[in-house]
Amino acid sequence: MIQHRIFSVYESSQIGEVRRAVNEMAFSMGSYEESAGRAAIVATELASNLVKHATGGGEILLRQLGHYKSFGLEIISVDHGPGIENPSRMILDGVSTAGTGGNGLGAVRRLSQVFDLYTIPQKGTIVLAQLFERPWNEEKSYLQIGSIMRAKPGEDACGDGWSFQRQDDKLHLILSDGLGHGTEAAVASREAIQCFHSNEVSPGEYIQKMDMALRHTRGAAVAVASIDLPRQKIAYAAVGNISGRIISSEKVVGCLSYNGIVGLNANRFQEIEYSCPPKGYLILHSDGISSRWDISQYPGIINHHPSLLAALLYRDHARETDDATVVVVQQR
Ligand SMILES: [Mn+2]
């Protein structure tokens, strides 16, 4: 899975930097000029808003959307600014940063195929924009996946890795955190993901196979979840420091992880079955995200896009000292 590129934006010279990166990424994906142009406008508007409205600036998170054949870009802005008082009005009225009072959110929404916004007064705003080449048909799926993955600041290699595969009515998901960080950690996670894709077994059996496959690596913390849609169940197995939570409007359930390191000394491979509430979320994250978050501090977050929820946890709980990954699956 592709890492996000993260851009700090707090002064106007950085807006151009983001725009150029978006342009380069779009053209490297062979997109039409029209799509690249749309992406550049969206990025410029979001970055400009960070400079103009978010005290202390914020970040733009940028990545290629890999599971589509053609052009797909995700552009997310996160800030701890004053928030937007009347977001729906802003989206309707705001036409362009060049205009008076508008903040460009209307343009961002119009030019994006997927748009979502979450704002809390005095706590900040997150805007999600996903752009695809036209014509675009939304994938008819009961599951939607969002993620943020970034290497420890200053490192190129990311020691975390995640992936998924669909099999009939099931979705299998893996998140791996190679011990430490940097290249060697990345090798361990890559091995775990390769093992995941070369087998079709249950979560506990995956962990057991990975424990053998990772013997020549540093080892990793790994969680594997299999979501069974018709049965509304999640089979889950984890070893080491990966957090798993299942969240719905009714309750929050923490998933169990056994002590140990896969590839070194994992010795418990049992999987546990959890129920998967309709419209619920499964959230997995590495320890580059502090586990001390509380969903009740985010009123109204349920039913937002899973990428937006991932960005929120990244914004408020990522550690600068480690690779950080959050994967969010939403059952619609
Ligand atoms: Mn870690």
Side-chain angles (χ1 to χ4, degrees), residues 160 177-181 241 286-289 322-324:
D160 290 352
D177 175 354
L179 220 59
H181 48 83
N241 214 351
S286 65
D287 64 354
I289 304 284
D322 201 356
D323 309 313

mmCIF file of all heavy atoms in Angstrom, residues 160 177-181 241 286-289 322-324, ligand 1:
data_model
loop_
_atom_site.group_PDB
_atom_site.id
_atom_site.type_symbol
_atom_site.label_atom_id
_atom_site.label_comp_id
_atom_site.label_asym_id
_atom_site.label_seq_id
_atom_site.Cartn_x
_atom_site.Cartn_y
_atom_site.Cartn_z
ATOM 1 N N ASP A 160 5.926 0.028 8.652
ATOM 2 C CA ASP A 160 4.562 -0.489 8.719
ATOM 3 C C ASP A 160 4.134 -0.915 7.323
ATOM 4 O O ASP A 160 4.653 -0.408 6.320
ATOM 5 C CB ASP A 160 3.566 0.602 9.169
ATOM 6 C CG ASP A 160 3.725 0.989 10.632
ATOM 7 O OD1 ASP A 160 4.494 0.320 11.351
ATOM 8 O OD2 ASP A 160 3.064 1.956 11.055
ATOM 9 N N ASP A 177 3.575 -4.156 11.695
ATOM 10 C CA ASP A 177 4.531 -3.135 12.145
ATOM 11 C C ASP A 177 5.851 -3.843 12.395
ATOM 12 O O ASP A 177 6.020 -4.523 13.408
ATOM 13 C CB ASP A 177 3.987 -2.471 13.422
ATOM 14 C CG ASP A 177 4.967 -1.464 14.038
ATOM 15 O OD1 ASP A 177 6.114 -1.360 13.552
ATOM 16 O OD2 ASP A 177 4.578 -0.788 14.999
ATOM 17 N N GLY A 178 6.772 -3.728 11.437
ATOM 18 C CA GLY A 178 8.094 -4.338 11.590
ATOM 19 C C GLY A 178 8.806 -3.721 12.782
ATOM 20 O O GLY A 178 8.714 -2.510 12.996
ATOM 21 N N LEU A 179 9.508 -4.553 13.527
ATOM 22 C CA LEU A 179 10.175 -4.097 14.749
ATOM 23 C C LEU A 179 11.072 -2.881 14.476
ATOM 24 O O LEU A 179 11.843 -2.896 13.525
ATOM 25 C CB LEU A 179 11.009 -5.257 15.297
ATOM 26 C CG LEU A 179 11.019 -5.437 16.813
ATOM 27 C CD1 LEU A 179 9.608 -5.666 17.318
ATOM 28 C CD2 LEU A 179 11.903 -6.626 17.192
ATOM 29 N N GLY A 180 10.950 -1.859 15.300
ATOM 30 C CA GLY A 180 11.737 -0.636 15.113
ATOM 31 C C GLY A 180 11.182 0.148 13.938
ATOM 32 O O GLY A 180 9.987 0.200 13.731
ATOM 33 N N HIS A 181 12.096 0.736 13.133
ATOM 34 C CA HIS A 181 11.646 1.433 11.935
ATOM 35 C C HIS A 181 12.752 1.376 10.891
ATOM 36 O O HIS A 181 13.778 0.744 11.127
ATOM 37 C CB HIS A 181 11.254 2.882 12.259
ATOM 38 C CG HIS A 181 12.276 3.605 13.072
ATOM 39 N ND1 HIS A 181 13.374 4.191 12.522
ATOM 40 C CD2 HIS A 181 12.369 3.783 14.418
ATOM 41 C CE1 HIS A 181 14.107 4.723 13.492
ATOM 42 N NE2 HIS A 181 13.519 4.490 14.646
ATOM 43 N N ASN A 241 2.043 -5.269 19.315
ATOM 44 C CA ASN A 241 1.414 -3.986 19.600
ATOM 45 C C ASN A 241 0.658 -3.372 18.417
ATOM 46 O O ASN A 241 1.059 -2.351 17.879
ATOM 47 C CB ASN A 241 2.508 -3.021 20.071
ATOM 48 C CG ASN A 241 1.979 -2.071 21.113
ATOM 49 O OD1 ASN A 241 0.768 -2.034 21.352
ATOM 50 N ND2 ASN A 241 2.865 -1.294 21.693
ATOM 51 N N SER A 286 -1.104 0.948 14.060
ATOM 52 C CA SER A 286 0.184 0.586 14.636
ATOM 53 C C SER A 286 0.440 1.484 15.844
ATOM 54 O O SER A 286 -0.286 2.443 16.091
ATOM 55 C CB SER A 286 1.292 0.752 13.588
ATOM 56 O OG SER A 286 1.418 2.119 13.235
ATOM 57 N N ASP A 287 1.511 1.198 16.580
ATOM 58 C CA ASP A 287 1.766 1.983 17.794
ATOM 59 C C ASP A 287 2.407 3.343 17.482
ATOM 60 O O ASP A 287 2.743 4.090 18.392
ATOM 61 C CB ASP A 287 2.587 1.197 18.819
ATOM 62 C CG ASP A 287 3.980 0.870 18.329
ATOM 63 O OD1 ASP A 287 4.288 1.154 17.143
ATOM 64 O OD2 ASP A 287 4.775 0.322 19.120
ATOM 65 N N GLY A 288 2.555 3.665 16.208
ATOM 66 C CA GLY A 288 2.899 5.036 15.823
ATOM 67 C C GLY A 288 1.731 5.989 16.015
ATOM 68 O O GLY A 288 1.851 7.198 15.877
ATOM 69 N N ILE A 289 0.584 5.416 16.317
ATOM 70 C CA ILE A 289 -0.600 6.178 16.718
ATOM 71 C C ILE A 289 -0.856 5.807 18.175
ATOM 72 O O ILE A 289 -0.954 4.626 18.499
ATOM 73 C CB ILE A 289 -1.841 5.769 15.883
ATOM 74 C CG1 ILE A 289 -1.592 5.915 14.382
ATOM 75 C CG2 ILE A 289 -3.097 6.513 16.338
ATOM 76 C CD1 ILE A 289 -1.608 7.314 13.843
ATOM 77 N N ASP A 322 7.902 7.376 15.308
ATOM 78 C CA ASP A 322 7.695 6.049 14.719
ATOM 79 C C ASP A 322 6.900 6.178 13.414
ATOM 80 O O ASP A 322 6.276 7.206 13.152
ATOM 81 C CB ASP A 322 6.904 5.173 15.715
ATOM 82 C CG ASP A 322 7.067 3.671 15.448
ATOM 83 O OD1 ASP A 322 7.721 3.295 14.458
ATOM 84 O OD2 ASP A 322 6.523 2.885 16.246
ATOM 85 N N ASP A 323 6.945 5.111 12.617
ATOM 86 C CA ASP A 323 6.030 5.006 11.476
ATOM 87 C C ASP A 323 4.609 4.958 12.032
ATOM 88 O O ASP A 323 4.383 4.432 13.117
ATOM 89 C CB ASP A 323 6.292 3.702 10.713
ATOM 90 C CG ASP A 323 7.766 3.518 10.379
ATOM 91 O OD1 ASP A 323 8.380 4.478 9.890
ATOM 92 O OD2 ASP A 323 8.303 2.422 10.637
ATOM 93 N N ALA A 324 3.683 5.487 11.288
ATOM 94 C CA ALA A 324 2.305 5.524 11.798
ATOM 95 C C ALA A 324 1.329 5.084 10.713
ATOM 96 O O ALA A 324 1.390 5.568 9.578
ATOM 97 C CB ALA A 324 1.954 6.930 12.271
HETATM 98 MN MN MN B 1 5.793 0.928 15.556
#
